[in-house]
Amino acid sequence: MPKKLFIKTYGCQMNVYDSGRMTDVLTPLGYQTTDSPDGADLVILNTCHIREKAAEKVYSELGRIKPLKARCQGEGGSMIVAVAGCVAQAEGEEIIRRAPVVDLVVGPQTYHRLPELIARAHRETGGVLDTDFPVESKFDHLPQPQAHGGVSAFLSVQEGCDKFCTFCVVPYTRGAEFSRPVDQIVAEAKRLVGDGVREITLLGQNVNAYHGAGPDGRDWGLARLIRNLAEIDGLARLRYTTSHPRDMDDDLIAAHGDVPQLMPYLHLPVQSGSDGILEAMNRRHSADEYRRLIEKIRLARPDLALSGDFIVGFPGETDADFAETLRLVNDVTYASAFSFKYSARPGTPAASAGAQVDDAVKVERLAALQQLLGAQQDAFNAATVGQTLPVLVERAGRKPGQMVGRSPYLQAVHLDGPDTLMGTLVDVTVTEALANSLTGVAAPPDALTAPVPLRESA
Ligand code: SAH
Ligand code: SF4
Ligand code: F3S
């Protein structure tokens, strides 16, 4: 009888990748994934600590799992409940104290040890804890990744962060910056492509700070890694996320102009448009430096679509500071973006700053910012109507005969066509832009629109 494994993933793409790798670790032990915690032998919550709301979600989920575990035990069975990810790292033992339903707490750098930790959790009472930052990387111990059946896959190349933005928990939950060696990454990418993957998104908390050991004994930067991966036969598209403006070097900018597999879409968070706030956040660049950087990248790749992250209501943020953020957004123009109310995180420097901003003010600023960003996103999507874009078909749509893929700019595109289109690049003429997706029809050969700066056509 296979054992049932339920994994719920919160937070960023790195957690999605990690959940896949946890499954790889547990498959040889006879675990098969299931989509409900009810009746599962092992429940893993792979958690996120970035904002208070994200962290609190875990405890409500544990509240729902408690009666399921009790019922399972009442029927003579056993259920192991594990908390993994960034809340596990940040709160450790505190989780077991607050939620005794938890048997096992495992941090992001030690989940390769899950088999022994689960065995211990079966033997011992009171909860098992492993939140080490071991010297040896988990990547040296993980089994080969298994095919998860998708056309698009994530691949972690870098982990951790040394930037210490004053609002952020990541340097504490993920540890110091670490880059995987080039050979290991290339082997994993080739394996994914062999399993049918056509698009790989390289992941790192600070991915453009990548500096992994190359086969020539030197450290390679992200651009060199990308150029090398682009040579893999059958790999149609490459993306990377998330980047820091400070680490956007000339070689990486040049790669956007001359590596055709590298998609013209870049997530480059700026957080704020005010120099004073940027300094208080320890972002280590000014708003104008960011503007100039964007100009330079768009010079290399004129049709580049930009995405970003913003925080409103950082301690000390005034109306004038916030107006600077709106001005920056107007100058830069985003195709999509994420924006958040500042959330004070325990242990981070900004959390104890005197001038915390009222929630009502945060709510107001967030609404204004989201209205502007939403309008920019709508304009960006509308500008693609009438264009013919290469779409990588990823899955079947909800309606029969419908398929869904992604444009180079990461927009979801619906089109009519057979299942056999899965994993292929189809030239699609966009006919309609909806709120969160585009609709299009397959175009005749050679109909592709030459890449145009969509920003200017908007
Ligand atoms: N490594 C990435 C982002 C990591 S977290 C980077 O450097 O950009 C993703 C986003 O969450 C951040 O870009 C930021 O906008 C937001 N975020 C992080 N900490 C936050 C906090 N304490 N409150 C609100 N938003 C936060
Ligand atoms: Fe957090 Fe800043 Fe590091 Fe991004 S660069 S993970 S926001 S500390
Ligand atoms: Fe969240 Fe950890 Fe990712 S805090 S955003 S899951 S790195």
Side-chain angles (χ1 to χ4, degrees), residues 161-165 167-171 205-206 244 271 283:
C161 185
D162 295 342
K163 290 281 189 293
F164 291 94
C165 300
F167 52 81
C168 184
V169 294
V170 171
Q205 263 87 38
N206 201 356
H244 192 290
Q271 316 295 356
R283 293 291 292 183

Side-chain angles (χ1 to χ4, degrees), residues 246-433:
R246 279 289 297 247
D247 295 314
M248 214 56 222
D249 66 22
D250 287 346
D251 198 12
L252 188 54
I253 294 173
H256 275 281
D258 59 34
V259 179
Q261 290 90 339
L262 186 57
M263 289 295 99
Y265 181 90
L266 179 63
H267 184 64
L268 196 61
V270 66
Q271 316 295 356
S272 168
S274 149
D275 287 342
I277 296 297
L278 285 169
E279 195 179 341
M281 286 177 163
N282 191 30
R283 293 291 292 183
R284 294 185 265 177
H285 64 77
S286 68
D288 275 346
E289 278 165 346
Y290 181 83
R291 285 184 179 87
R292 283 198 291 274
L293 176 62
I294 298 299
E295 268 170 34
K296 206 165 150 186
I297 306 167
R298 280 185 166 142
L299 213 58
R301 183 75 204 219
D303 68 323
L304 187 100
L306 265 181
S307 151
D309 291 340
F310 296 88
I311 295 176
V312 299
F314 183 83
E317 189 187 67
T318 62
D319 284 341
D321 290 319
F322 178 62
E324 285 294 284
T325 298
L326 295 177
R327 191 164 72 86
L328 181 80
V329 171
N330 272 314
D331 289 348
V332 170
T333 317
Y334 291 87
S336 74
F338 302 95
S339 43
F340 312 98
K341 286 193 289 178
Y342 169 73
S343 168
R345 306 307 291 129
T348 60
S352 50
Q356 299 290 327
V357 174
D358 273 359
D359 192 57
V361 175
K362 290 183 193 169
V363 170
E364 212 172 282
R365 288 180 188 163
L366 188 65
L369 179 60
Q370 290 188 337
Q371 192 182 17
L372 175 59
L373 290 167
Q376 291 191 344
Q377 179 170 340
D378 290 347
F380 179 81
N381 289 338
T384 56
V385 175
Q387 297 211 22
T388 301
L389 303 171
V391 169
L392 178 61
V393 181
E394 285 182 355
R395 59 185 169 88
R398 269 196 224 126
K399 297 182 197 149
Q402 190 190 52
M403 301 298 290
V404 188
R406 296 249 169 217
S407 79
Y409 313 109
L410 215 54
Q411 297 147 299
V413 184
H414 291 84
L415 68 150
D416 288 336
D419 286 2
T420 48
L421 291 182
M422 190 91 85
T424 65
L425 279 165
V426 181
D427 295 342
V428 174
T429 304
V430 179
T431 52
E432 196 186 358

Side-chain angles (χ1 to χ4, degrees), residues 126-188:
V128 172
L129 180 76
D130 188 349
T131 51
D132 278 1
F133 284 116
V135 184
E136 274 208 310
S137 146
K138 65 181 174 238
F139 294 107
D140 297 335
H141 298 277
L142 288 170
Q144 286 288 339
Q146 287 158 16
H148 294 286
V151 169
S152 184
F154 293 133
L155 201 175
S156 279
V157 302
Q158 180 277 341
E159 198 166 352
C161 185
D162 295 342
K163 290 281 189 293
F164 291 94
C165 300
T166 54
F167 52 81
C168 184
V169 294
V170 171
Y172 312 98
T173 63
R174 292 277 169 170
E177 236 176 74
F178 165 80
S179 296
R180 295 177 71 186
V182 172
D183 284 347
Q184 209 182 60
I185 295 165
V186 172
E188 190 168 325

Side-chain angles (χ1 to χ4, degrees), residues 198-266:
R198 304 293 314 279
E199 173 181 88
I200 293 180
T201 302
L202 306 177
L203 297 182
Q205 263 87 38
N206 201 356
V207 69
N208 58 345
Y210 176 83
H211 56 94
D216 55 1
R218 294 176 182 215
D219 269 8
W220 287 26
L222 186 64
R224 197 158 175 207
L225 177 69
I226 285 172
R227 288 177 202 281
N228 192 277
L229 292 170
E231 284 170 21
I232 298 176
D233 247 0
L235 181 57
R237 290 181 165 185
L238 280 162
R239 304 179 185 274
Y240 61 92
T241 198
T242 294
S243 299
H244 192 290
R246 279 289 297 247
D247 295 314
M248 214 56 222
D249 66 22
D250 287 346
D251 198 12
L252 188 54
I253 294 173
H256 275 281
D258 59 34
V259 179
Q261 290 90 339
L262 186 57
M263 289 295 99
Y265 181 90
L266 179 63

